[in-house]
């Protein structure tokens, strides 16, 4: 059996991007794929540079969810939140013009050229509860669960609009994706129960 030739940088890049979907430049460099190689491959169309320091294979199908995976790679400490999380959980008909992502109080504000990103600072407790992990296009993407997302929309109702928060609440309860008790628990923990309670009571009463 003839000896196997070592993998070229190009072959390594294609293999890794096929396995992981989207990768950061630092991850590819750690696998000994040099920036100059990636730049030539991007110029040829062998790989796509989809954002600042983000690469994927050109045949990857684009979807709305795919933009969440791109942001997850670009902002690894962030969590998809608010309208983008509502949309992911099918609790709103809104089509946000940017991806909403929560970051910590001391985290650097992300600079992402594409897709457009709107970053919101959350406190330590708000960042740590209700975080779900979803595999989107081979990328682990952190997204707040439906009940936590609804509560966050009420917390940031001035930014997203009270109508959007109410739409998420009604759809969450009606579709049984967010149990009222869980919504109430998050609301108490995050000190917004007095504001959210009348809306939750009315929604539960309407649903019978």
């Amino acid at each position: 059996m003839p000896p196997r030739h070592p993998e070229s940088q190009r072959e390594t890049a294609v293999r890794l991007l096929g396995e992981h979907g989207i990768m950061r430049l630092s991850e590819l460099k750690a696998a000994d794929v040099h920036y100059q190689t990636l730049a030539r491959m991007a110029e040829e169309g062998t790989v796509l540079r989809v954002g600042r320091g983000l690469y994927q294979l050109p045949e990857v199908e684009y979807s709305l969810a795919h933009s969440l995976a791109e942001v997850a790679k670009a902002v690894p400490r962030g969590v998809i939140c608010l309208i983008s999380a509502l949309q992911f959980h099918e609790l709103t008909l809104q089509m946000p013009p940017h991806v909403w992502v929560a970051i910590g109080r001391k985290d650097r504000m992300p600079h992402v050229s594409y897709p457009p990103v709107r970053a919101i600072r959350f406190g330590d407790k708000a960042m740590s509860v209700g975080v779900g992990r979803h595999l989107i296009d081979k990328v682990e993407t952190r997204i707040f669960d439906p009940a936590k997302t609804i509560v966050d929309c009420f917390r940031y109702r001035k930014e997203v609009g009270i109508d959007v928060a109410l739409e998420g609440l009604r759809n969450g309860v009606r579709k049984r994706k967010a149990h009222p008790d869980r919504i109430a628990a998050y609301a108490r923990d995050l000190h917004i129960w007095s504001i959210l309670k009348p809306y939750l009571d009315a929604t539960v009463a309407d649903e019978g």
Side-chain angles (χ1 to χ4, degrees):
M1 186 174 179
R4 185 176 178 181
H5 294 291
E7 196 174 52
S8 69
Q9 289 186 42
R10 287 171 173 266
E11 290 169 336
T12 299
V14 170
R15 175 178 58 79
L16 290 175
L17 290 170
E19 291 172 358
H20 299 285
I22 306 169
M23 295 185 72
R24 283 180 283 170
L25 174 60
S26 58
E27 294 171 322
L28 290 161
K29 285 174 71 175
D32 293 325
V33 179
H34 299 157
Y35 170 75
Q36 291 85 350
T37 301
L38 289 169
R40 285 193 293 271
M41 293 177 74
E43 195 172 316
E44 297 164 1
T46 310
V47 300
L48 288 180
R49 185 177 181 269
V50 294
R52 186 178 179 182
L54 293 177
Y55 294 85
Q56 70 178 44
L57 295 178
E59 60 265 25
V60 173
E61 273 189 39
Y62 182 83
S63 67
L64 290 173
H66 186 74
S67 63
L68 305 186
E70 290 184 20
V71 172
K73 271 294 182 183
V75 192
R77 291 167 59 90
V79 186
I80 304 300
C81 66
L82 300 174
I83 303 177
S84 295
L86 284 182
Q87 186 186 58
F88 176 79
H89 294 301
E90 299 180 339
L91 299 180
T92 183
L93 296 177
Q94 299 287 323
M95 298 288 286
H98 38 243
V99 176
W100 293 77
V101 60
I103 61 173
R105 294 287 187 202
K106 297 180 180 179
D107 289 342
R108 283 186 179 180
M109 197 59 76
H111 298 286
V112 181
S113 56
Y114 188 84
V117 169
R118 174 101 182 254
I120 297 286
R121 293 197 183 278
F122 278 30
D124 291 345
K125 177 175 262 188
M127 279 294 289
S128 63
V129 297
V131 180
R133 287 169 170 77
H134 304 267
L135 198 64
I136 301 176
D137 295 336
K138 302 179 183 178
V139 176
E140 185 180 272
T141 305
R142 303 199 308 162
I143 305 173
F144 287 117
D145 69 35
K148 173 61 162 44
T149 298
I150 290 165
V151 170
D152 286 336
C153 284
F154 276 91
R155 292 172 60 231
Y156 289 91
R157 59 197 179 281
K158 290 182 180 178
E159 283 79 6
V160 304
I162 189 65
D163 55 330
V164 173
L166 284 169
E167 179 190 22
L169 174 62
R170 291 166 182 153
N171 285 333
V173 172
R174 185 173 68 249
K175 294 181 178 183
R176 299 187 178 182
K177 292 189 175 184
H179 194 279
D181 289 347
R182 192 165 178 82
I183 295 172
Y186 283 135
R188 289 189 182 97
D189 283 347
L190 299 173
H191 310 295
I192 196 163
W193 177 233
S194 61
I195 291 172
L196 201 154
K197 183 179 186 300
Y199 294 109
L200 180 60
D201 288 347
T203 299
V204 172
D206 288 345
E207 294 301 316

